[in-house]
Amino acid sequence: MPRTVYSPEHCLQYLEQYASKEIFAIGLILGQMTDARENVIHLARTPEEKGSEIGIESNYGLDKSEIAKNLSSVSEAWIADHARHVTRMLPGGMFVQGIFVTSDEDVFEDPNCFSKLRSTLNHIYKGLSINEYMFGNCPYSNERLILHMSTSTKVLTCKSLEVGGLNKNTTLKPVEWKFSPKALSWQRLDCYYEFDEIYPVIVKNSGVSVKNQFQQILESAHKIIESSVMFIDGELKDGSESLDQLIKKKKTKTNTKLTQNEAPKSMHVSLFVPYENTLPETVEYLECEGSIHFSGVVSSSVFIYPKATVKEAIAAVKQDIVRSLASRFTMHCDALIDDNLLPEEKICFNEPPRRVLVPVGSLYLCDYLFPGEAPAEALLSVRELLDLKITETDVICDVETPADTSEFDALDRDASSEELLATPQEASQFMYITGLCFAMLVLLVSIIIHYYDGIIQVLSKIFPKS
């Protein structure tokens, strides 16, 4: 039985706008795969490559001679970089499912075209595997889609190809692509994860790298989030239940009905981290030069096919939180001039980019704005990376508020007096000396108690009773 993929009808119109003008185009297929159904949400054309640079910029002013006209002139690395940037904008549970092409070539029969497509998909797979916390590759399948529309015949063909393996003789598999005239309804799940952790800055001979330190913090956060228990609308749900079953049960209890066109309300997801009252057998003491305090709330909005299971929905929420943290850390590190984590000041305040939501069809993807950036910056990203035109009013900017720096300002004033701040070495010595004095006191008391009777007898002889 061939694999079946469902997509909204506007994806067909999107392909036809290029095929009707006989324009060669290549881009990404964005979607979600669950046990119930595989849905495509959007097709995003890859922007034209600007010179030999790899980035997100597109050159709309290129001469026609410089624009790619066929598959042979396309850079696999450029498309893989496009997939990496787009993955940051996808909520948890959404992935780059493959690539689409509009051309007059028979990409499945021409050996050169097929080799190029396979190489491109493997470049995307490897590029998204570099940072495991971005969850770039769909964990449910290694098969990626290739959707082709002929500019001459307007015939649409879709096939799948396995990527990431060592077998270079992977064969194409047929895929049935179906267009839905009605917009698909999505179940939205909202979660707010409070991030309030303090991490030590470990000193190494080669210095302290921001990226390395953030990678360790991200690994720790990932373990905490994966071990957490999630409640939907305040209740622990059975992982095998589907989301639409939960909605029906809730409506039965409240005796209310949903009309056919009414979208279900958002479900609230609460995250509870289990407390582990265990200590390691051996404690490793490391020299620290300082600490990093992460504080704030990560906003998570995930859209799931209503017939998906609770287990799949919870996995998507966890992916979304970790992917959001990984995206911010990467963007923050890329924006830094100096990779050295230790500043000259005693206290240094940094604000990573905050999350905003951008509409794509009947759901929302996301973008990130640095402090001081306006919603217009998100419009540029959406146009270049998603090939969409939206207005500033479409961008939802209040899901996360800018950081409150009042507490930092107070700490900065307190840190202005260096004599009040002990260095890490001084603090270590003070703790060591305090522990030594206490041990000597305990030893003295134990000696007195042990030899108490003997001391009383000696004192009675020296000082006899009158």
Side-chain angles (χ1 to χ4, degrees), residues 11-12 15-16 19 23-27 29 43 69-71 98-110 113-114 117 145-160 172 175 177 179:
C11 289
L12 176 61
L15 293 171
E16 289 176 341
I23 298 175
F24 169 79
I26 187 170
I29 302 173
L43 303 179
K69 295 183 179 180
N70 49 46
L71 274 175
I99 55 177
F100 74 88
V101 179
T102 61
S103 69
D104 59 352
E105 305 162 298
D106 192 342
V107 297
F108 298 115
E109 296 296 333
D110 188 329
C113 292
F114 175 66
L117 291 173
L145 301 172
I146 302 175
L147 179 65
H148 177 253
M149 175 172 277
S150 173
T151 56
S152 56
T153 63
K154 308 301 183 293
V155 174
L156 190 69
T157 308
C158 184
K159 296 186 179 183
S160 65
L172 291 167
V175 176
W177 190 289
F179 293 98

Side-chain angles (χ1 to χ4, degrees), residues 84 88 211 329-337:
R84 181 172 59 88
R88 294 179 184 172
K211 292 183 179 180
F329 288 174
T330 302
M331 296 176 67
H332 182 68
C333 291
D334 291 343
L336 293 177
I337 300 176

Side-chain angles (χ1 to χ4, degrees), residues 55-68:
I56 66 169
E57 298 180 347
S58 61
N59 190 354
Y60 293 97
L62 283 174
D63 295 332
K64 292 184 179 180
S65 59
E66 297 175 332
I67 296 177

Side-chain angles (χ1 to χ4, degrees), residues 22 31 44 47 84 106 135 169 171 192 202 226 238 257 261 323 337 367 381 429 454:
E22 298 185 353
R84 181 172 59 88
D106 192 342
F135 296 101
N169 296 322
T171 57
Y192 297 93
I202 308 301
E226 280 298 318
D238 184 2
K257 296 182 180 180
N261 296 326
R323 179 185 285 175
I337 300 176
D367 196 13
S381 299
Q429 292 172 358

Side-chain angles (χ1 to χ4, degrees), residues 93 99 181 191 197 217 245 267 274 317 325 329 333 358 418:
I99 55 177
C191 178
E197 300 289 340
I217 293 172
Q245 288 177 343
M267 292 182 173
V317 173
L325 290 174
F329 288 174
C333 291
V358 293
E418 292 188 7

